[in-house]
Amino acid sequence: MKPLPPTLRQKKRYVLFRIVPHEAGLDGKQMYYAVYDAISSLYGDFGAAELSMAVVLCEGNYTIVRCRRGSEKMLVTAALTMNRINGTFCALRPVATSGTIAALRRRMPDSRPPLPERQAVFSGMEYTVRQRSQEKVDLYGDGIKNQEILYFTQDDMEDI
């Protein structure tokens, strides 16, 4: 059977929710069942099927839920009626809606704490190491006039 051409496929929207309280520690399966129960209790089984909801990502304090375009408000309304997930008192607060997961991932703050600064010697010069994420490392040369900034990746850090 041939797949549907893009013009005939259903358009999808993704909604980013923040989980309150932060220490809930939920996984995607628990989140799916809780959101689906809220949708079916508010709109019935027909409304739940009309939304075609799916939990795409459940990471840290945030979750991304997919639905059909035009039904985002129904999804948000149903998610706001939830007060517990798997016996844990918690709530979902909508943050943003988008047509792509990548746009919502950019809206999620980095949950990892910043790494402390340290000193490193590279090619005989002393640098201050500032690691902003897991992949990027910046080296700032000490001095007033000829400051030098070097950019490294995690693979380059093995040599230092």
Side-chain angles (χ1 to χ4, degrees), residues 118 120-123 125 127-141 148-160:
R118 60 182 195 274
V121 177
F122 183 72
S123 299
M125 292 199 50
Y127 292 95
T128 303
V129 179
R130 294 186 183 132
Q131 192 167 358
R132 300 286 182 227
S133 65
Q134 296 293 62
E135 298 86 25
K136 183 180 174 187
V137 178
D138 299 340
L139 297 179
Y140 292 90
E148 185 179 7
I149 301 173
L150 303 174
Y151 299 99
F152 287 95
T153 62
Q154 191 67 31
D155 296 333
D156 297 332
M157 283 300 292
E158 294 175 3
D159 299 337
I160 298 178

PDB file of all heavy atoms in Angstrom, residues 118 120-123 125 127-141 148-160:
ATOM      1  N   ARG A 118      37.482  26.545  35.438  1.00  0.00           N
ATOM      2  CA  ARG A 118      38.756  26.010  35.896  1.00  0.00           C
ATOM      3  C   ARG A 118      39.861  26.529  34.985  1.00  0.00           C
ATOM      4  O   ARG A 118      39.586  27.110  33.943  1.00  0.00           O
ATOM      5  CB  ARG A 118      38.721  24.486  35.927  1.00  0.00           C
ATOM      6  CG  ARG A 118      38.443  23.823  34.604  1.00  0.00           C
ATOM      7  CD  ARG A 118      38.391  22.299  34.775  1.00  0.00           C
ATOM      8  NE  ARG A 118      38.475  21.637  33.511  1.00  0.00           N
ATOM      9  CZ  ARG A 118      37.469  21.364  32.708  1.00  0.00           C
ATOM     10  NH1 ARG A 118      36.264  21.716  33.061  1.00  0.00           N
ATOM     11  NH2 ARG A 118      37.647  20.747  31.569  1.00  0.00           N
ATOM     12  N   ALA A 120      43.323  25.912  32.625  1.00  0.00           N
ATOM     13  CA  ALA A 120      43.968  24.899  31.791  1.00  0.00           C
ATOM     14  C   ALA A 120      45.146  25.537  31.061  1.00  0.00           C
ATOM     15  O   ALA A 120      45.134  26.728  30.758  1.00  0.00           O
ATOM     16  CB  ALA A 120      42.986  24.320  30.776  1.00  0.00           C
ATOM     17  N   VAL A 121      46.170  24.724  30.805  1.00  0.00           N
ATOM     18  CA  VAL A 121      47.334  25.184  30.058  1.00  0.00           C
ATOM     19  C   VAL A 121      47.298  24.509  28.702  1.00  0.00           C
ATOM     20  O   VAL A 121      47.209  23.278  28.603  1.00  0.00           O
ATOM     21  CB  VAL A 121      48.638  24.847  30.809  1.00  0.00           C
ATOM     22  CG1 VAL A 121      49.834  25.256  29.996  1.00  0.00           C
ATOM     23  CG2 VAL A 121      48.642  25.504  32.170  1.00  0.00           C
ATOM     24  N   PHE A 122      47.348  25.328  27.640  1.00  0.00           N
ATOM     25  CA  PHE A 122      47.304  24.820  26.273  1.00  0.00           C
ATOM     26  C   PHE A 122      48.348  25.565  25.463  1.00  0.00           C
ATOM     27  O   PHE A 122      48.321  26.795  25.383  1.00  0.00           O
ATOM     28  CB  PHE A 122      45.900  25.020  25.678  1.00  0.00           C
ATOM     29  CG  PHE A 122      45.728  24.478  24.302  1.00  0.00           C
ATOM     30  CD1 PHE A 122      45.660  23.105  24.079  1.00  0.00           C
ATOM     31  CD2 PHE A 122      45.653  25.324  23.215  1.00  0.00           C
ATOM     32  CE1 PHE A 122      45.501  22.607  22.815  1.00  0.00           C
ATOM     33  CE2 PHE A 122      45.505  24.829  21.943  1.00  0.00           C
ATOM     34  CZ  PHE A 122      45.431  23.467  21.735  1.00  0.00           C
ATOM     35  N   SER A 123      49.278  24.832  24.884  1.00  0.00           N
ATOM     36  CA  SER A 123      50.376  25.396  24.092  1.00  0.00           C
ATOM     37  C   SER A 123      51.182  26.424  24.889  1.00  0.00           C
ATOM     38  O   SER A 123      51.580  27.466  24.383  1.00  0.00           O
ATOM     39  CB  SER A 123      49.855  26.053  22.810  1.00  0.00           C
ATOM     40  OG  SER A 123      49.205  25.101  22.018  1.00  0.00           O
ATOM     41  N   MET A 125      50.245  28.459  27.202  1.00  0.00           N
ATOM     42  CA  MET A 125      49.496  29.610  27.713  1.00  0.00           C
ATOM     43  C   MET A 125      48.409  29.124  28.671  1.00  0.00           C
ATOM     44  O   MET A 125      47.869  28.030  28.504  1.00  0.00           O
ATOM     45  CB  MET A 125      48.859  30.392  26.562  1.00  0.00           C
ATOM     46  CG  MET A 125      49.881  31.084  25.697  1.00  0.00           C
ATOM     47  SD  MET A 125      49.202  32.407  24.696  1.00  0.00           S
ATOM     48  CE  MET A 125      48.289  33.361  25.833  1.00  0.00           C
ATOM     49  N   TYR A 127      44.701  29.375  30.272  1.00  0.00           N
ATOM     50  CA  TYR A 127      43.364  29.775  29.843  1.00  0.00           C
ATOM     51  C   TYR A 127      42.354  29.472  30.943  1.00  0.00           C
ATOM     52  O   TYR A 127      42.540  28.569  31.750  1.00  0.00           O
ATOM     53  CB  TYR A 127      42.934  29.015  28.584  1.00  0.00           C
ATOM     54  CG  TYR A 127      43.722  29.365  27.347  1.00  0.00           C
ATOM     55  CD1 TYR A 127      44.820  28.614  26.961  1.00  0.00           C
ATOM     56  CD2 TYR A 127      43.349  30.446  26.563  1.00  0.00           C
ATOM     57  CE1 TYR A 127      45.533  28.928  25.823  1.00  0.00           C
ATOM     58  CE2 TYR A 127      44.060  30.775  25.421  1.00  0.00           C
ATOM     59  CZ  TYR A 127      45.154  30.005  25.060  1.00  0.00           C
ATOM     60  OH  TYR A 127      45.847  30.333  23.930  1.00  0.00           O
ATOM     61  N   THR A 128      41.261  30.235  30.943  1.00  0.00           N
ATOM     62  CA  THR A 128      40.121  29.953  31.801  1.00  0.00           C
ATOM     63  C   THR A 128      39.127  29.133  30.987  1.00  0.00           C
ATOM     64  O   THR A 128      38.732  29.535  29.899  1.00  0.00           O
ATOM     65  CB  THR A 128      39.452  31.260  32.276  1.00  0.00           C
ATOM     66  OG1 THR A 128      40.421  32.047  32.946  1.00  0.00           O
ATOM     67  CG2 THR A 128      38.291  30.959  33.201  1.00  0.00           C
ATOM     68  N   VAL A 129      38.731  27.990  31.517  1.00  0.00           N
ATOM     69  CA  VAL A 129      37.836  27.079  30.805  1.00  0.00           C
ATOM     70  C   VAL A 129      36.412  27.340  31.267  1.00  0.00           C
ATOM     71  O   VAL A 129      36.110  27.283  32.454  1.00  0.00           O
ATOM     72  CB  VAL A 129      38.224  25.607  31.065  1.00  0.00           C
ATOM     73  CG1 VAL A 129      37.270  24.667  30.352  1.00  0.00           C
ATOM     74  CG2 VAL A 129      39.648  25.344  30.658  1.00  0.00           C
ATOM     75  N   ARG A 130      35.524  27.628  30.311  1.00  0.00           N
ATOM     76  CA  ARG A 130      34.092  27.795  30.576  1.00  0.00           C
ATOM     77  C   ARG A 130      33.350  26.820  29.687  1.00  0.00           C
ATOM     78  O   ARG A 130      33.353  26.954  28.475  1.00  0.00           O
ATOM     79  CB  ARG A 130      33.648  29.226  30.299  1.00  0.00           C
ATOM     80  CG  ARG A 130      34.262  30.215  31.238  1.00  0.00           C
ATOM     81  CD  ARG A 130      33.700  31.597  31.048  1.00  0.00           C
ATOM     82  NE  ARG A 130      34.395  32.508  31.929  1.00  0.00           N
ATOM     83  CZ  ARG A 130      34.882  33.673  31.546  1.00  0.00           C
ATOM     84  NH1 ARG A 130      34.742  34.075  30.309  1.00  0.00           N
ATOM     85  NH2 ARG A 130      35.487  34.437  32.411  1.00  0.00           N
ATOM     86  N   GLN A 131      32.706  25.870  30.303  1.00  0.00           N
ATOM     87  CA  GLN A 131      31.977  24.857  29.555  1.00  0.00           C
ATOM     88  C   GLN A 131      30.496  25.176  29.671  1.00  0.00           C
ATOM     89  O   GLN A 131      29.900  25.075  30.729  1.00  0.00           O
ATOM     90  CB  GLN A 131      32.288  23.465  30.103  1.00  0.00           C
ATOM     91  CG  GLN A 131      31.797  22.356  29.219  1.00  0.00           C
ATOM     92  CD  GLN A 131      32.386  21.021  29.610  1.00  0.00           C
ATOM     93  OE1 GLN A 131      33.189  20.930  30.522  1.00  0.00           O
ATOM     94  NE2 GLN A 131      31.978  19.988  28.921  1.00  0.00           N
ATOM     95  N   ARG A 132      29.883  25.583  28.550  1.00  0.00           N
ATOM     96  CA  ARG A 132      28.489  26.027  28.546  1.00  0.00           C
ATOM     97  C   ARG A 132      27.516  24.858  28.401  1.00  0.00           C
ATOM     98  O   ARG A 132      26.450  24.853  28.951  1.00  0.00           O
ATOM     99  CB  ARG A 132      28.245  27.012  27.404  1.00  0.00           C
ATOM    100  CG  ARG A 132      29.096  28.224  27.499  1.00  0.00           C
ATOM    101  CD  ARG A 132      28.604  29.141  28.598  1.00  0.00           C
ATOM    102  NE  ARG A 132      29.410  30.332  28.637  1.00  0.00           N
ATOM    103  CZ  ARG A 132      29.903  30.848  29.723  1.00  0.00           C
ATOM    104  NH1 ARG A 132      29.693  30.283  30.878  1.00  0.00           N
ATOM    105  NH2 ARG A 132      30.632  31.939  29.684  1.00  0.00           N
ATOM    106  N   SER A 133      27.843  23.878  27.603  1.00  0.00           N
ATOM    107  CA  SER A 133      26.990  22.707  27.426  1.00  0.00           C
ATOM    108  C   SER A 133      27.901  21.493  27.403  1.00  0.00           C
ATOM    109  O   SER A 133      29.095  21.594  27.610  1.00  0.00           O
ATOM    110  CB  SER A 133      26.187  22.821  26.126  1.00  0.00           C
ATOM    111  OG  SER A 133      27.056  22.800  25.032  1.00  0.00           O
ATOM    112  N   GLN A 134      27.318  20.346  27.101  1.00  0.00           N
ATOM    113  CA  GLN A 134      28.125  19.139  27.077  1.00  0.00           C
ATOM    114  C   GLN A 134      29.052  19.091  25.870  1.00  0.00           C
ATOM    115  O   GLN A 134      30.043  18.409  25.880  1.00  0.00           O
ATOM    116  CB  GLN A 134      27.232  17.908  27.071  1.00  0.00           C
ATOM    117  CG  GLN A 134      26.413  17.765  28.327  1.00  0.00           C
ATOM    118  CD  GLN A 134      27.259  17.488  29.540  1.00  0.00           C
ATOM    119  OE1 GLN A 134      28.093  18.288  29.938  1.00  0.00           O
ATOM    120  NE2 GLN A 134      27.057  16.346  30.141  1.00  0.00           N
ATOM    121  N   GLU A 135      28.747  19.828  24.806  1.00  0.00           N
ATOM    122  CA  GLU A 135      29.532  19.744  23.584  1.00  0.00           C
ATOM    123  C   GLU A 135      30.523  20.877  23.416  1.00  0.00           C
ATOM    124  O   GLU A 135      31.561  20.712  22.814  1.00  0.00           O
ATOM    125  CB  GLU A 135      28.619  19.741  22.350  1.00  0.00           C
ATOM    126  CG  GLU A 135      27.673  18.573  22.290  1.00  0.00           C
ATOM    127  CD  GLU A 135      26.396  18.838  23.065  1.00  0.00           C
ATOM    128  OE1 GLU A 135      26.022  20.007  23.243  1.00  0.00           O
ATOM    129  OE2 GLU A 135      25.780  17.870  23.522  1.00  0.00           O
ATOM    130  N   LYS A 136      30.227  22.072  23.910  1.00  0.00           N
ATOM    131  CA  LYS A 136      31.022  23.251  23.610  1.00  0.00           C
ATOM    132  C   LYS A 136      31.858  23.665  24.812  1.00  0.00           C
ATOM    133  O   LYS A 136      31.374  23.732  25.932  1.00  0.00           O
ATOM    134  CB  LYS A 136      30.101  24.403  23.202  1.00  0.00           C
ATOM    135  CG  LYS A 136      30.828  25.646  22.805  1.00  0.00           C
ATOM    136  CD  LYS A 136      29.840  26.720  22.413  1.00  0.00           C
ATOM    137  CE  LYS A 136      30.546  28.022  22.156  1.00  0.00           C
ATOM    138  NZ  LYS A 136      29.627  29.106  21.939  1.00  0.00           N
ATOM    139  N   VAL A 137      33.130  23.985  24.563  1.00  0.00           N
ATOM    140  CA  VAL A 137      34.044  24.436  25.596  1.00  0.00           C
ATOM    141  C   VAL A 137      34.737  25.686  25.079  1.00  0.00           C
ATOM    142  O   VAL A 137      35.263  25.707  23.969  1.00  0.00           O
ATOM    143  CB  VAL A 137      35.092  23.346  25.927  1.00  0.00           C
ATOM    144  CG1 VAL A 137      36.073  23.854  26.963  1.00  0.00           C
ATOM    145  CG2 VAL A 137      34.418  22.085  26.399  1.00  0.00           C
ATOM    146  N   ASP A 138      34.730  26.757  25.863  1.00  0.00           N
ATOM    147  CA  ASP A 138      35.400  28.005  25.490  1.00  0.00           C
ATOM    148  C   ASP A 138      36.615  28.197  26.376  1.00  0.00           C
ATOM    149  O   ASP A 138      36.550  28.005  27.592  1.00  0.00           O
ATOM    150  CB  ASP A 138      34.466  29.208  25.670  1.00  0.00           C
ATOM    151  CG  ASP A 138      33.229  29.121  24.810  1.00  0.00           C
ATOM    152  OD1 ASP A 138      33.260  28.370  23.826  1.00  0.00           O
ATOM    153  OD2 ASP A 138      32.243  29.807  25.122  1.00  0.00           O
ATOM    154  N   LEU A 139      37.747  28.589  25.773  1.00  0.00           N
ATOM    155  CA  LEU A 139      38.960  28.900  26.515  1.00  0.00           C
ATOM    156  C   LEU A 139      39.239  30.386  26.351  1.00  0.00           C
ATOM    157  O   LEU A 139      39.366  30.876  25.233  1.00  0.00           O
ATOM    158  CB  LEU A 139      40.152  28.083  25.994  1.00  0.00           C
ATOM    159  CG  LEU A 139      40.069  26.566  26.142  1.00  0.00           C
ATOM    160  CD1 LEU A 139      41.305  25.910  25.566  1.00  0.00           C
ATOM    161  CD2 LEU A 139      39.904  26.174  27.581  1.00  0.00           C
ATOM    162  N   TYR A 140      39.339  31.098  27.455  1.00  0.00           N
ATOM    163  CA  TYR A 140      39.608  32.527  27.440  1.00  0.00           C
ATOM    164  C   TYR A 140      41.031  32.741  27.949  1.00  0.00           C
ATOM    165  O   TYR A 140      41.357  32.345  29.070  1.00  0.00           O
ATOM    166  CB  TYR A 140      38.615  33.286  28.327  1.00  0.00           C
ATOM    167  CG  TYR A 140      37.221  33.272  27.787  1.00  0.00           C
ATOM    168  CD1 TYR A 140      36.327  32.276  28.131  1.00  0.00           C
ATOM    169  CD2 TYR A 140      36.794  34.252  26.909  1.00  0.00           C
ATOM    170  CE1 TYR A 140      35.044  32.247  27.627  1.00  0.00           C
ATOM    171  CE2 TYR A 140      35.515  34.247  26.390  1.00  0.00           C
ATOM    172  CZ  TYR A 140      34.646  33.240  26.758  1.00  0.00           C
ATOM    173  OH  TYR A 140      33.371  33.218  26.242  1.00  0.00           O
ATOM    174  N   GLY A 141      41.847  33.377  27.121  1.00  0.00           N
ATOM    175  CA  GLY A 141      43.230  33.643  27.504  1.00  0.00           C
ATOM    176  C   GLY A 141      43.306  34.751  28.527  1.00  0.00           C
ATOM    177  O   GLY A 141      42.589  35.747  28.443  1.00  0.00           O
ATOM    178  N   GLU A 148      42.774  36.097  23.869  1.00  0.00           N
ATOM    179  CA  GLU A 148      42.542  35.124  22.814  1.00  0.00           C
ATOM    180  C   GLU A 148      41.431  34.181  23.266  1.00  0.00           C
ATOM    181  O   GLU A 148      41.449  33.694  24.385  1.00  0.00           O
ATOM    182  CB  GLU A 148      43.828  34.338  22.551  1.00  0.00           C
ATOM    183  CG  GLU A 148      43.747  33.400  21.404  1.00  0.00           C
ATOM    184  CD  GLU A 148      45.072  32.669  21.187  1.00  0.00           C
ATOM    185  OE1 GLU A 148      45.978  32.818  22.007  1.00  0.00           O
ATOM    186  OE2 GLU A 148      45.152  31.949  20.205  1.00  0.00           O
ATOM    187  N   ILE A 149      40.477  33.958  22.394  1.00  0.00           N
ATOM    188  CA  ILE A 149      39.372  33.055  22.699  1.00  0.00           C
ATOM    189  C   ILE A 149      39.472  31.869  21.758  1.00  0.00           C
ATOM    190  O   ILE A 149      39.532  32.022  20.540  1.00  0.00           O
ATOM    191  CB  ILE A 149      38.008  33.758  22.526  1.00  0.00           C
ATOM    192  CG1 ILE A 149      37.917  34.977  23.454  1.00  0.00           C
ATOM    193  CG2 ILE A 149      36.874  32.788  22.830  1.00  0.00           C
ATOM    194  CD1 ILE A 149      36.679  35.811  23.213  1.00  0.00           C
ATOM    195  N   LEU A 150      39.493  30.677  22.337  1.00  0.00           N
ATOM    196  CA  LEU A 150      39.551  29.438  21.555  1.00  0.00           C
ATOM    197  C   LEU A 150      38.275  28.641  21.816  1.00  0.00           C
ATOM    198  O   LEU A 150      37.790  28.588  22.938  1.00  0.00           O
ATOM    199  CB  LEU A 150      40.768  28.602  21.958  1.00  0.00           C
ATOM    200  CG  LEU A 150      42.135  29.287  21.847  1.00  0.00           C
ATOM    201  CD1 LEU A 150      43.210  28.391  22.425  1.00  0.00           C
ATOM    202  CD2 LEU A 150      42.444  29.597  20.397  1.00  0.00           C
ATOM    203  N   TYR A 151      37.761  28.026  20.772  1.00  0.00           N
ATOM    204  CA  TYR A 151      36.554  27.217  20.884  1.00  0.00           C
ATOM    205  C   TYR A 151      36.905  25.765  20.599  1.00  0.00           C
ATOM    206  O   TYR A 151      37.507  25.451  19.579  1.00  0.00           O
ATOM    207  CB  TYR A 151      35.480  27.698  19.905  1.00  0.00           C
ATOM    208  CG  TYR A 151      35.068  29.118  20.159  1.00  0.00           C
ATOM    209  CD1 TYR A 151      35.585  30.153  19.401  1.00  0.00           C
ATOM    210  CD2 TYR A 151      34.175  29.413  21.175  1.00  0.00           C
ATOM    211  CE1 TYR A 151      35.215  31.459  19.641  1.00  0.00           C
ATOM    212  CE2 TYR A 151      33.799  30.710  21.426  1.00  0.00           C
ATOM    213  CZ  TYR A 151      34.322  31.733  20.658  1.00  0.00           C
ATOM    214  OH  TYR A 151      33.966  33.014  20.894  1.00  0.00           O
ATOM    215  N   PHE A 152      36.519  24.880  21.511  1.00  0.00           N
ATOM    216  CA  PHE A 152      36.824  23.470  21.393  1.00  0.00           C
ATOM    217  C   PHE A 152      35.544  22.651  21.503  1.00  0.00           C
ATOM    218  O   PHE A 152      34.549  23.105  22.058  1.00  0.00           O
ATOM    219  CB  PHE A 152      37.778  23.019  22.516  1.00  0.00           C
ATOM    220  CG  PHE A 152      39.177  23.509  22.346  1.00  0.00           C
ATOM    221  CD1 PHE A 152      39.595  24.671  22.966  1.00  0.00           C
ATOM    222  CD2 PHE A 152      40.081  22.815  21.571  1.00  0.00           C
ATOM    223  CE1 PHE A 152      40.877  25.136  22.818  1.00  0.00           C
ATOM    224  CE2 PHE A 152      41.366  23.263  21.414  1.00  0.00           C
ATOM    225  CZ  PHE A 152      41.777  24.423  22.040  1.00  0.00           C
ATOM    226  N   THR A 153      35.610  21.428  21.037  1.00  0.00           N
ATOM    227  CA  THR A 153      34.534  20.471  21.249  1.00  0.00           C
ATOM    228  C   THR A 153      34.960  19.509  22.343  1.00  0.00           C
ATOM    229  O   THR A 153      36.091  19.554  22.819  1.00  0.00           O
ATOM    230  CB  THR A 153      34.217  19.693  19.961  1.00  0.00           C
ATOM    231  OG1 THR A 153      35.373  18.966  19.576  1.00  0.00           O
ATOM    232  CG2 THR A 153      33.777  20.634  18.854  1.00  0.00           C
ATOM    233  N   GLN A 154      34.073  18.617  22.739  1.00  0.00           N
ATOM    234  CA  GLN A 154      34.380  17.656  23.791  1.00  0.00           C
ATOM    235  C   GLN A 154      35.522  16.725  23.370  1.00  0.00           C
ATOM    236  O   GLN A 154      36.329  16.327  24.193  1.00  0.00           O
ATOM    237  CB  GLN A 154      33.124  16.843  24.142  1.00  0.00           C
ATOM    238  CG  GLN A 154      33.258  16.014  25.390  1.00  0.00           C
ATOM    239  CD  GLN A 154      33.391  16.857  26.643  1.00  0.00           C
ATOM    240  OE1 GLN A 154      32.856  17.956  26.716  1.00  0.00           O
ATOM    241  NE2 GLN A 154      34.081  16.352  27.631  1.00  0.00           N
ATOM    242  N   ASP A 155      35.624  16.398  22.085  1.00  0.00           N
ATOM    243  CA  ASP A 155      36.701  15.536  21.612  1.00  0.00           C
ATOM    244  C   ASP A 155      38.056  16.222  21.749  1.00  0.00           C
ATOM    245  O   ASP A 155      39.057  15.580  22.073  1.00  0.00           O
ATOM    246  CB  ASP A 155      36.468  15.150  20.148  1.00  0.00           C
ATOM    247  CG  ASP A 155      35.210  14.333  19.985  1.00  0.00           C
ATOM    248  OD1 ASP A 155      34.817  13.651  20.951  1.00  0.00           O
ATOM    249  OD2 ASP A 155      34.606  14.383  18.889  1.00  0.00           O
ATOM    250  N   ASP A 156      38.097  17.541  21.517  1.00  0.00           N
ATOM    251  CA  ASP A 156      39.349  18.280  21.670  1.00  0.00           C
ATOM    252  C   ASP A 156      39.786  18.372  23.124  1.00  0.00           C
ATOM    253  O   ASP A 156      40.966  18.528  23.406  1.00  0.00           O
ATOM    254  CB  ASP A 156      39.201  19.689  21.098  1.00  0.00           C
ATOM    255  CG  ASP A 156      38.918  19.678  19.600  1.00  0.00           C
ATOM    256  OD1 ASP A 156      39.339  18.720  18.926  1.00  0.00           O
ATOM    257  OD2 ASP A 156      38.262  20.634  19.130  1.00  0.00           O
ATOM    258  N   MET A 157      38.845  18.294  24.041  1.00  0.00           N
ATOM    259  CA  MET A 157      39.170  18.422  25.462  1.00  0.00           C
ATOM    260  C   MET A 157      39.968  17.239  25.981  1.00  0.00           C
ATOM    261  O   MET A 157      40.635  17.334  26.994  1.00  0.00           O
ATOM    262  CB  MET A 157      37.904  18.576  26.293  1.00  0.00           C
ATOM    263  CG  MET A 157      37.286  19.961  26.252  1.00  0.00           C
ATOM    264  SD  MET A 157      38.384  21.226  26.860  1.00  0.00           S
ATOM    265  CE  MET A 157      38.468  20.803  28.579  1.00  0.00           C
ATOM    266  N   GLU A 158      39.927  16.114  25.293  1.00  0.00           N
ATOM    267  CA  GLU A 158      40.693  14.959  25.737  1.00  0.00           C
ATOM    268  C   GLU A 158      42.184  15.230  25.659  1.00  0.00           C
ATOM    269  O   GLU A 158      42.961  14.659  26.402  1.00  0.00           O
ATOM    270  CB  GLU A 158      40.312  13.739  24.904  1.00  0.00           C
ATOM    271  CG  GLU A 158      38.896  13.298  25.126  1.00  0.00           C
ATOM    272  CD  GLU A 158      38.482  12.161  24.208  1.00  0.00           C
ATOM    273  OE1 GLU A 158      39.334  11.687  23.434  1.00  0.00           O
ATOM    274  OE2 GLU A 158      37.325  11.763  24.273  1.00  0.00           O
ATOM    275  N   ASP A 159      42.599  16.134  24.750  1.00  0.00           N
ATOM    276  CA  ASP A 159      44.011  16.449  24.603  1.00  0.00           C
ATOM    277  C   ASP A 159      44.508  17.389  25.679  1.00  0.00           C
ATOM    278  O   ASP A 159      45.712  17.463  25.937  1.00  0.00           O
ATOM    279  CB  ASP A 159      44.255  17.070  23.223  1.00  0.00           C
ATOM    280  CG  ASP A 159      43.894  16.122  22.088  1.00  0.00           C
ATOM    281  OD1 ASP A 159      43.902  14.899  22.355  1.00  0.00           O
ATOM    282  OD2 ASP A 159      43.600  16.597  20.979  1.00  0.00           O
ATOM    283  N   ILE A 160      43.628  18.154  26.298  1.00  0.00           N
ATOM    284  CA  ILE A 160      44.035  19.140  27.296  1.00  0.00           C
ATOM    285  C   ILE A 160      44.198  18.503  28.656  1.00  0.00           C
ATOM    286  O   ILE A 160      43.477  17.703  29.084  1.00  0.00           O
ATOM    287  CB  ILE A 160      43.019  20.318  27.365  1.00  0.00           C
ATOM    288  CG1 ILE A 160      42.984  21.012  26.021  1.00  0.00           C
ATOM    289  CG2 ILE A 160      43.360  21.277  28.462  1.00  0.00           C
ATOM    290  CD1 ILE A 160      41.993  22.142  25.934  1.00  0.00           C
TER     291      ILE A 160
END
